[in-house]
Amino acid sequence: MLQSNSGYAVSPHHRYNPDDCTACAVCTVHCPVAEATSAFRGPKQTGPAYERFRLAGFGDDDSITYCSNCKNCDISCPSGVPVAVFNMLARAAYRDKRGTVLRDLLIGHAGDIGRALRRVPACVLNFGMQNSLTRRLLDRIGLDRRAPLPAFAPLAERDRLRQGSAAAAAPGRPSRAAARRGKVALFPGCFVNYYEPRVGSAVIGLLEKAGYNVIVPESFVCCGLPMITGGLMSAALKRARTNSRELARLTRLGIPVVTPCPSCALMLRREYRDLFPEEEGLADNSAGVHEACAFFSGLQDRREFSLADARPVRATLAYHAPCHLRALGLGRPGIELLQRIPGLRIEDMDAGCCGMSGSYELKKGHYDIGMRIGAALFEAVDKSGAKIAVSECGTCRVQIAHGAGCAAAHPLTLLAECLGVTGA
Ligand code: SF4
Ligand code: SF4
């Protein structure tokens, strides 16, 4: 058991010591929610400051429900205090006391729902979810009817990724490419699986072009992030255990894992270990799990992936760096890749959080906050004159399309198109 500087016993559930905070308030300056609403006390208060009260058995604070887990506090803290981890653990304790909310159960298990409905045509699903009666009902259980919901992809596209998975998992399946570089495993993530499988298909196509045999292990499940933000820690731990078992197996086989979702990458690489330090077997997977753009950028640096045959494109794109990509500390590899396409002009919006933060803005009471947070980005996209915005995060793309009214794409779907890669 850790001992804090001021004498509190830090429970084994808390790897970090709140007294590491020097109260500099840098995190508060960088917190988009604290800037958008006075209802949130801000990262310094809800994180390390209140943690001392929580450790002493006090500090049941409603303000904790406002943290969006965007991680801008963690990115900016000069002392390395994991404020968002404090907040998510505190929120789970808060929910344990007050009871779980139906809205959080629905959002937390969206991946399971998507999997259960995988045989249902998109037109049925989208009508079922998006009609005004359903939106009113969802509104009553806490999902703001004004917030944009992503549309399910056509059955054929969802099947294509799923069949790619089943076929690739079969022993001896010949890769479309020569597979001269061995196997790589794709972790599509729930958003790609159910809403944008073409992103997964593009990544598979690009990996095969680079000479990999791509497998999509069926044993991977939701990374657990939507559960963490809803305070559903035991459900998230179950997913962490399942994914960690598969990651350990792939590591033993020397197979790298690639995901096009920065938030999934963050969870798989290091969040499991940070959120559940008492759980054995949840390793730091930073070496084996790769955000997809960073993976291709690395291949390119080592001359193992070429963009020399990319078709020239005359267009301007507005690039938005997702908060969780910035939290990974990998730079902006998506921009670096797209900048190599002849004729393409990329403008980095550099306008902060989009306001969606995964599912934050969907929750009643958060919609106006999310839209206020995203306003600078929407304005920047509008001013850029770009018809297409690019971002690695699926829910950032949904938010940009909603707030800025333009199309939004993953950098790798555009890259695949320019290279004539058709996908899995
Ligand atoms: S995770 Fe984001 S919203 Fe939460 S305290 Fe940190 S900066 Fe603020
Ligand atoms: S958590 Fe970090 S950034 Fe925030 S006040 Fe403490 S030391 Fe400063």
Side-chain angles (χ1 to χ4, degrees), residues 27-28 30-35 40-44 46-47 64 66-76 83-85 87-88 91 323-324 353 357 360 373:
C27 55
T28 304
H30 286 85
C31 173
V33 177
E35 193 183 349
F40 184 45
R41 292 184 206 279
K44 179 167 74 83
T46 57
I64 199 70
Y66 282 95
C67 172
S68 72
N69 195 37
C70 68
K71 292 197 166 282
N72 281 290
C73 45
D74 297 8
I75 297 167
S76 61
V83 184
V85 170
N87 286 355
M88 290 306 108
R91 182 181 294 167
C323 296
H324 286 178
C353 179
S357 278
Y360 183 79
I373 292 170

Side-chain angles (χ1 to χ4, degrees), residues 20-28 43-44 48 73 76-81 83:
D20 288 342
C21 170
T22 60
C24 67
V26 168
C27 55
T28 304
K44 179 167 74 83
C73 45
S76 61
C77 175
S79 304
V81 179
V83 184

Side-chain angles (χ1 to χ4, degrees), residues 92-356:
Y94 176 92
R95 284 288 170 227
D96 277 351
K97 268 192 212 159
R98 310 268 173 130
T100 302
V101 181
L102 177 57
R103 166 201 80 183
D104 291 339
L105 278 173
L106 269 181
I107 291 174
H109 293 279
D112 298 331
I113 296 168
R115 189 185 279 237
L117 299 174
R118 64 179 181 268
R119 294 268 174 222
V120 182
C123 55
V124 176
L125 292 174
N126 290 328
F127 176 76
M129 288 303 294
Q130 310 268 5
N131 74 75
S132 58
L133 179 62
T134 307
R135 291 308 305 258
R136 277 207 298 278
L137 287 172
L138 290 175
D139 194 88
R140 292 187 73 154
I141 62 163
L143 286 161
D144 197 304
R145 75 172 83 167
R146 297 167 296 168
L149 290 180
F152 282 90
L155 195 52
E157 280 185 34
R158 281 180 280 144
D159 266 354
R160 196 173 172 204
L161 190 59
R162 206 165 52 80
Q163 283 168 7
S165 161
R173 179 218 184 196
S175 174
R176 214 185 284 178
R180 61 190 182 280
R181 298 195 201 283
K183 284 184 183 173
V184 66
L186 177 71
F187 184 96
C190 297
F191 191 92
V192 167
N193 265 331
Y194 308 115
Y195 305 119
E196 275 198 284
R198 65 180 180 277
V199 174
S201 296
V203 175
I204 291 175
L206 290 167
L207 286 167
E208 291 192 335
K209 178 179 167 61
Y212 286 96
N213 184 3
V214 186
I215 58 169
V216 190
E218 298 233 33
S219 44
F220 275 142
V221 292
C222 168
C223 72
L225 182 57
M227 294 157 187
I228 298 290
T229 52
L232 309 169
M233 296 305 261
S234 48
L237 177 57
K238 216 168 135 191
R239 271 69 181 176
R241 285 178 181 145
T242 304
N243 287 331
S244 295
R245 271 196 299 275
E246 183 61 16
L247 289 173
R249 186 184 75 83
L250 293 166
T251 302
R252 280 196 300 276
L253 295 171
I255 299 175
V257 176
V258 170
T259 176
C261 172
S263 299
C264 295
L266 194 61
M267 287 295 286
L268 299 178
R269 280 165 70 101
R270 61 169 202 245
E271 289 281 290
Y272 290 159
R273 200 202 43 170
D274 289 353
L275 287 158
F276 307 108
E278 75 282 16
E279 177 78 13
E280 283 180 18
L282 304 184
D284 183 322
N285 296 303
S286 298
V289 177
H290 306 266
E291 188 278 325
C293 290
F295 188 76
F296 284 108
S297 180
L299 290 180
Q300 228 222 349
D301 290 347
R302 297 192 299 275
R303 298 178 187 278
E304 293 172 8
F305 179 68
S306 171
L307 298 177
D309 52 345
R311 173 172 66 83
V313 178
R314 299 246 164 269
T316 300
L317 302 177
Y319 174 77
H320 165 67
C323 296
H324 286 178
L325 180 75
R326 290 188 290 107
L328 284 167
L330 302 170
R332 283 159 163 73
I335 281 200
E336 286 164 24
L337 290 169
L338 290 176
Q339 274 170 339
R340 294 181 185 260
I341 295 172
L344 203 54
R345 204 163 69 87
I346 325 284
E347 280 189 32
D348 187 350
M349 297 297 98
D350 199 17
C353 179
C354 74
M356 179 58 86

Side-chain angles (χ1 to χ4, degrees), residues 12-25:
H13 298 282
H14 295 71
R15 172 186 293 269
Y16 304 102
N17 187 337
D19 287 349
D20 288 342
C21 170
T22 60
C24 67

